[in-house]
Amino acid sequence: MIDRADFWVVVVGLGIGTYLLRFSFLGFLGNRVLPWWLVRGLRYTAVAVLPALVAPAVLWPEAMGGQTDPARLLAAAATVLVGAYTRQMMAAIAAGAAVLAALHYLA
């Protein structure tokens, strides 16, 4: 068990670090016009976050002992296809969840 004082030091330290990290971008650059190449690159940040979070769970799922699961791969493929076709994130997530649930139900 972590000591109570150590816990609060870590929590406050992480809070200050998070604030400074966000302020470094928003506080210093908030009112300035950014270069076109930076704005273009920042557009892809949100698109890259979801695959970065999901890829480990698809390729090395802990629930399967670290082995790749065909149902998860098919659900990921359905998510990508629906997302590319509809260009709607919620539709892609719903399709992937439906395919994963259906494959787990059938197996």
Side-chain angles (χ1 to χ4, degrees), residues 49-63 66-68 72:
V49 169
L50 185 61
L53 291 173
V54 172
V58 170
L59 298 176
W60 304 283
E62 194 64 33
Q67 299 296 322
T68 303
R72 294 181 198 283

Side-chain angles (χ1 to χ4, degrees), residues 24-40:
S24 68
F25 189 79
L26 297 173
F28 294 132
L29 298 176
N31 293 331
R32 296 192 177 136
V33 176
L34 298 175
W36 66 269
W37 54 269
L38 182 60
V39 173
R40 192 176 98 193

Side-chain angles (χ1 to χ4, degrees), residues 14-29:
L14 288 174
I16 290 170
T18 300
Y19 178 79
L20 290 175
L21 184 64
R22 291 174 189 220
F23 182 78
S24 68
F25 189 79
L26 297 173
F28 294 132
L29 298 176

Side-chain angles (χ1 to χ4, degrees), residues 1-104:
M1 181 76 79
I2 188 170
D3 184 41
R4 189 177 292 240
D6 291 341
F7 172 77
W8 285 110
V9 166
V10 169
V11 167
V12 170
L14 288 174
I16 290 170
T18 300
Y19 178 79
L20 290 175
L21 184 64
R22 291 174 189 220
F23 182 78
S24 68
F25 189 79
L26 297 173
F28 294 132
L29 298 176
N31 293 331
R32 296 192 177 136
V33 176
L34 298 175
W36 66 269
W37 54 269
L38 182 60
V39 173
R40 192 176 98 193
L42 288 173
R43 283 191 196 136
Y44 299 107
T45 302
V47 175
V49 169
L50 185 61
L53 291 173
V54 172
V58 170
L59 298 176
W60 304 283
E62 194 64 33
M64 301 301 292
Q67 299 296 322
T68 303
D69 182 20
R72 294 181 198 283
L73 290 175
L74 289 172
T79 303
V80 170
L81 290 174
V82 170
Y85 181 72
T86 65
R87 300 248 183 228
Q88 294 185 11
M89 183 181 68
M90 294 308 293
I93 292 172
V99 168
L100 184 63
L103 291 175
H104 278 260

